[in-house]
């Protein structure tokens, strides 16, 4: 039982490493005409929604959505929850309630400390609000649909995990804002977000599928927000 629990924890942080590697593939820069990289005539293509950037988070959502059709996914969910209940019946913490906001708060902390980021404070507010709206809207629909499916209600939990969604939503923004000026620091938000996901399971509040789907939704909501924001921003510049 303990070995199963340890293997699960290790697997979750392996997933964190995979997410970090995938997130490093979402920007390419193309220069035209032999100009110096600082030349304003250069064209920068930020491909937030290219396959390499979305395959990991999309796969995590798909994994959760396949639960009603695949008994192995349901069994793994139940086994992990039974394992944690047996080995840590009294474990409970409210740390995840606060940690889920840490990546988002860190973005505004960067603004307060005048640390270089990709966008301004005002733009951060827009990006933050946009990702909240997308994640909240899609998450609400997913919960309404899954509530009517028995496979998602047997443990009394909800699909997907809202805490994990919010944590990874903020972590993705934090990464996008700092990956050019502070590349190593930019990945720290994912570690915090992964911790939130683990704690949701330790607290018996969510199953593995719910946490993985929440992580995928959070990352995709922020990527989509950036994609829309850039489309609108550069369209205005052309006009």
């Amino acid at each position: 039982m303990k070995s199963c629990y340890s293997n699960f924890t290790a697997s979750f942080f392996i997933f964190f490493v995979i997410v970090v590697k995938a997130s490093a593939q979402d920007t390419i820069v193309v220069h035209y005409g032999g100009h110096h990289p600082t030349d304003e005539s250069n064209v920068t293509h930020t491909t937030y929604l290219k396959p390499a950037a979305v395959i990991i988070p999309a796969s995590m959502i798909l994994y959760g959505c396949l639960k009603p059709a695949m008994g192995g996914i349901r069994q793994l969910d139940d086994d992990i929850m039974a394992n944690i209940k047996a080995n840590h019946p009294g474990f409970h913490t409210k740390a995840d309630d606060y940690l889920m906001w840490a990546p988002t708060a860190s973005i505004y902390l960067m603004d307060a400390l005048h640390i270089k980021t990709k966008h301004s404070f005002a733009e951060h507010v827009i990006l933050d609000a946009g990702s909240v709206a997308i994640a909240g809207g899609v998450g609400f629909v997913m919960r309404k649909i899954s509530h009517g499916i028995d496979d998602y209600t047997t443990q009394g939990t909800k699909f997907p995990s809202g805490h994990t969604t919010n944590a990874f939503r903020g972590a993705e923004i934090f990464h996008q804002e700092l990956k050019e000026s502070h590349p190593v620091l930019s990945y720290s938000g994912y570690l915090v977000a992964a911790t939130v996901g683990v704690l949701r399971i330790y607290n018996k509040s969510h199953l593995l599928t719910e946490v993985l789907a929440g992580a995928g939704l959070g990352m995709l909501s922020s990527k989509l927000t950036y994609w829309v924001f850039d489309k609108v921003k550069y369209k205005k510049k052309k006009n």
Side-chain angles (χ1 to χ4, degrees):
M1 295 290 281
K2 288 186 177 180
S3 62
C4 179
Y5 172 74
S6 299
N7 289 339
F8 161 68
T9 303
S11 298
F12 197 90
F13 282 97
I14 289 173
F15 146 71
F16 157 70
V17 173
I18 293 173
V19 169
V20 167
K21 289 183 177 180
S23 298
Q25 305 300 318
D26 57 9
T27 301
I28 57 174
V29 179
V30 181
H31 302 295
Y32 295 92
H35 296 294
H36 188 275
T38 58
D39 195 304
E40 291 183 359
S41 63
N42 291 336
V43 179
T44 299
H45 295 284
T46 306
T47 52
Y48 300 107
L49 299 181
K50 70 177 183 177
V54 303
I55 188 170
I56 296 297
S59 295
M60 290 189 287
I61 295 175
L62 178 61
Y63 176 82
C65 292
L66 288 174
K67 183 176 179 178
M70 300 184 67
I73 295 177
R74 296 194 301 272
Q75 189 62 53
L76 181 60
D77 267 353
D78 293 340
D79 287 348
I80 291 173
M81 182 60 73
N83 190 314
I84 292 176
K85 286 181 177 179
N87 289 285
H88 302 275
F91 181 89
H92 181 73
T93 178
K94 292 185 178 181
D96 47 345
D97 292 337
Y98 306 102
L99 281 177
M100 71 171 176
W101 295 108
T104 302
S106 296
I107 299 164
Y108 297 114
L109 179 61
M110 299 297 104
D111 292 328
L113 296 177
H114 303 289
I115 295 175
K116 182 181 179 181
T117 58
K118 183 182 291 187
H119 295 91
S120 66
F121 168 76
E123 291 173 326
H124 289 162
V125 173
I126 295 173
L127 290 165
D128 189 23
S131 64
V132 167
I134 294 173
V138 175
F140 176 79
V141 172
M142 291 174 70
R143 285 196 171 190
K144 290 291 287 185
I145 294 174
S146 61
H147 184 70
I149 302 174
D150 292 340
D151 294 284
Y152 292 109
T153 60
T154 55
Q155 296 278 1
T157 55
K158 295 181 179 180
F159 178 86
S161 165
H163 281 63
T164 312
T165 297
N166 193 47
F168 273 91
R169 178 194 64 79
E172 182 66 28
I173 295 177
F174 187 77
H175 170 66
Q176 296 295 339
E177 291 301 309
L178 293 178
K179 67 182 180 182
E180 294 172 4
S181 57
H182 300 84
V184 177
L185 179 62
S186 72
Y187 293 109
S188 61
Y190 294 126
L191 180 59
V192 175
T195 301
V196 171
V198 171
L199 288 177
R200 295 308 287 166
I201 298 176
Y202 284 9
N203 279 334
K204 299 87 170 173
S205 299
H206 283 289
L207 302 168
L208 177 61
T209 49
E210 297 161 356
V211 166
L212 291 178
L217 174 59
M219 293 174 68
L220 284 180
S221 66
S222 291
K223 289 178 184 294
L224 179 58
T225 301
Y226 270 85
W227 183 80
V228 172
F229 182 85
D230 279 3
K231 287 286 186 181
V232 174
K233 181 178 180 180
Y234 290 115
K235 184 177 181 180
K236 287 183 177 180
K237 283 187 176 182
K238 289 181 180 180
N239 295 334

